[in-house]
Structure formats: C-alpha cells, structure tokens
Amino acid sequence: MEVKIIGSDIVVSGVECLDLDLTLDCGQAFRWVKQGDGSYSGVAGGYFLNISKNENGDLIFENTTKESFDTFFRNYFDLDKDYKKICDTLKEDELLRATIDEYYGIRILNQEPWEALCSFVISQQNNIKRIKLIITRLCSAYGDEVADGWYTFPSAQKLAALGEQDFAALGLGYRAKYVEKLAKDVASGAIDLEKIKSLPLEEARKELLQIYGVGIKVTNCALLFGFQFYSAFPVDVWMKRVMEYYPDGLPKCFDGIEGIAQQYLFHWARNNL
DNA sequence: GTCCAGGCATGCA
DNA sequence: TGCATGCATGGA
C-alpha cells in the first residue's frame, strides 16, 4: 500500500479487495450515500468524506488531511489487513468460493462502538432502507453539521437529554425506549464501551447481552462492526436461510474470520434467496 | 389491503 | 431452557 498526498487529496494505491459498493452499501454501515459520479459521501469519525476510485483503481480520499487518514480512515477501511489472503482461505468452502468470485471486495469497516451499537439497536426487525432513513433523521436532528447538509452521528451525551417521545418522533417505533435507555447509560458511564472493547470476546459478548434491547443478533453485529471482533457471526432472517447450507456447522476455514465470511454470505443471500 | 424487515422483551410451560 | 406473542413503521 502506498499513500500519497496529491493537492488536497489522499491517494492510496495497492489496496486489494476493496469494492466501494459492496463495502459501503452492504448493510454494515448506514451513512454512506452514492453520488452520481459513483463516489460515496458520508460522515465517519466526525469527518465528512467523499471517496472514490480512479481509473488505476487507486482510492481517492477527497479533500482529506493526512492527519484524519492516519488517525481514522486507515483503520476505518481496515487498510492494513490482508483481505486477499483472507478470501483465499474462505474460498476453501464451496459456497464462499462462488460467492467471493461473484462479489469480490467486501471489507469489514471499523466503525465506532457507540455508532455501531446504537445503529444496530435501531436495525432490529427493520429493513436496511428504513434503517438508513431513521438514522439520517437522527443525525440531522441531533448531530453536528460538519459539511453542508452532512451531520455527525450524535453522541450518547447529546441523546441522553432526550425522552422516548423524541425518538419515537423520528420513527424508531418500539425501539425508542431501547435507545433512550442506552444513550443515558452510555452517557452516565453505567455502560463503558471502551472497556467492553478491551475485553476478551466472550466477556464482551456477555456485557453487551445485558443491555436492554440488545439480544444475540445485535450483540454480534456490534462486536463485528464496532468492536473489531472478526469471529462474531450475526444471524438474522437472511442468515437463517443460509444456515441450511451448513447443516454440520461452519467449516473450519471460517475460524477466526467468521464475520467476514458472514458478510459475503449475507450479501449472497439477499441477492439469491 | 397484506406481508416483511440485519429481533427483542415478556410471559408461560 | 424453549416456545408463543406483541411490537412501530414504511416500502413492496
């Protein structure tokens, strides 16, 4: 991987296995918007970003500082992980081989714990389009505007000042009470997300499961997308259908990277089942 | 109009 | 421990 500063852009070459459509619009993050030119715009880590690929396949981080790239986006896009090698391992499984050949380039984004956990509480019993709708409303109403019309994901402290009715007004439905309590508990320190991130997987899982409105599925999504536990394996209604293809359990080649395998299977299921 | 979505808490056996 | 039920809402 080579990182160059060209004008006000950061240009990264030599990154394999990163398809912007598959990675930014596959249901792991809800805040990226595809633009007419094929690039994606969004807010992450408190930064507004427009990202695209040029004709050479280089990643263009438009109008981005070296500081924000080094301290945030490099990790957010998981650029130091060898996904090509991971895919080669996963392709020992027959279904994954076909799936990766068809949809190569899914990465796991390292989202911030609070945004990931809160987003996946909202995601339950909901479809991706409507999850995006609700989260956009939440950010527009209570986030900070960091570019014209682009807002940060609101902090737990900010949301802790709200009541259940405020969340219901955004369309959260019966999840409003979950987010209300979650925001207050994170803001007060009763739930310490950084501590959870530092725990071993099973202990982190146990802590998350105790949170009101957080069950097994939301826990695994949070662990995988917000706490960098690559072996977390979320099973939703789509993945339940996929699991019929693995009656004897998950294959050995998934070990330690179950979450990455899951993201390919999830995408395959939504397109084929 | 009905059905469904990156599910969960609750009550009951 | 496992199963049935209710839950908000917008798109198909």
Side-chain angles (χ1 to χ4, degrees):
Chain A
M1 180 173 69
E2 189 183 356
V3 181
K4 283 179 287 195
I5 302 172
I6 298 180
S8 57
D9 301 340
I10 301 284
V11 178
V12 182
S13 54
V15 174
E16 294 194 61
C17 193
L18 172 49
D19 182 286
L20 293 177
D21 291 317
L22 292 173
T23 298
L24 296 176
D25 199 17
C26 67
Q28 63 172 318
F30 304 103
R31 306 216 50 216
W32 294 98
V33 179
K34 190 171 189 175
Q35 306 294 356
D37 61 2
S39 67
Y40 278 83
S41 294
V43 179
Y47 302 103
F48 169 75
L49 174 69
N50 176 268
I51 185 170
S52 59
K53 279 193 177 184
N54 66 15
E55 61 278 6
N56 301 322
D58 302 329
L59 292 167
I60 312 295
F61 292 75
E62 189 183 65
N63 198 17
T64 298
T65 64
K66 186 72 163 51
E67 187 267 341
S68 65
F69 177 82
D70 288 339
T71 61
F72 185 77
F73 288 116
R74 184 175 183 135
N75 178 251
Y76 182 82
F77 286 96
D78 219 4
L79 297 182
D80 292 299
K81 188 177 282 288
D82 188 349
Y83 275 77
K84 183 176 185 299
K85 187 176 169 188
I86 288 169
C87 285
D88 286 343
T89 301
L90 292 177
K91 286 168 85 170
E92 291 171 21
D93 176 68
E94 193 179 336
L95 180 53
L96 259 291
R97 184 169 65 242
T99 304
I100 291 172
D101 283 342
E102 188 174 359
Y103 306 112
Y104 185 64
I106 300 178
R107 280 176 177 253
I108 303 298
L109 298 168
N110 284 314
Q111 301 179 65
E112 293 169 288
W114 161 247
E115 177 171 340
L117 179 59
C118 188
S119 295
F120 280 95
V121 167
I122 292 169
S123 80
Q124 63 189 82
Q125 190 62 21
N126 220 334
N127 60 65
I128 291 174
K129 185 163 187 159
R130 213 171 80 81
I131 298 164
K132 288 182 180 174
L133 178 70
I134 292 170
I135 290 179
T136 299
R137 287 180 193 150
L138 179 71
C139 295
S140 299
Y142 301 109
D144 298 323
E145 190 170 27
V146 287
D148 191 22
W150 296 93
Y151 298 83
T152 59
F153 193 91
S155 67
Q157 287 72 20
K158 177 93 178 188
L159 297 186
L162 305 179
E164 182 178 344
Q165 286 311 312
D166 298 311
F167 295 110
L170 298 171
L172 271 78
Y174 71 91
R175 311 162 196 84
K177 55 186 180 293
Y178 301 153
V179 174
E180 182 197 17
K181 178 158 173 53
L182 178 63
K184 285 179 166 60
D185 284 348
V186 170
S188 74
I191 295 171
D192 184 344
L193 299 180
E194 288 307 318
K195 191 197 86 181
I196 291 173
K197 190 169 178 177
S198 72
L199 295 173
L201 174 59
E202 287 311 321
E203 289 177 43
R205 171 171 280 140
K206 199 171 150 191
E207 292 282 322
L208 289 170
L209 268 174
Q210 290 176 355
I211 298 171
Y212 182 52
V214 176
I216 294 170
K217 159 65 172 59
V218 172
T219 289
N220 281 316
C221 282
L223 287 169
L224 178 60
F225 303 127
F227 294 80
Q228 289 188 264
F229 286 102
Y230 293 91
S231 57
F233 190 84
V235 178
D236 70 330
V237 294
W238 293 102
M239 288 304 296
K240 277 177 187 154
R241 297 162 192 162
V242 173
M243 293 312 286
E244 293 180 18
Y245 291 78
Y246 298 99
D248 303 322
L250 299 180
K252 195 77 181 145
C253 67
F254 286 17
D255 283 1
I257 46 177
E258 290 89 340
I260 299 172
Q262 188 273 356
Q263 211 45 22
Y264 275 100
L265 293 172
F266 175 70
H267 188 77
W268 175 78
R270 297 210 324 135
N271 284 283
N272 294 280
L273 297 180

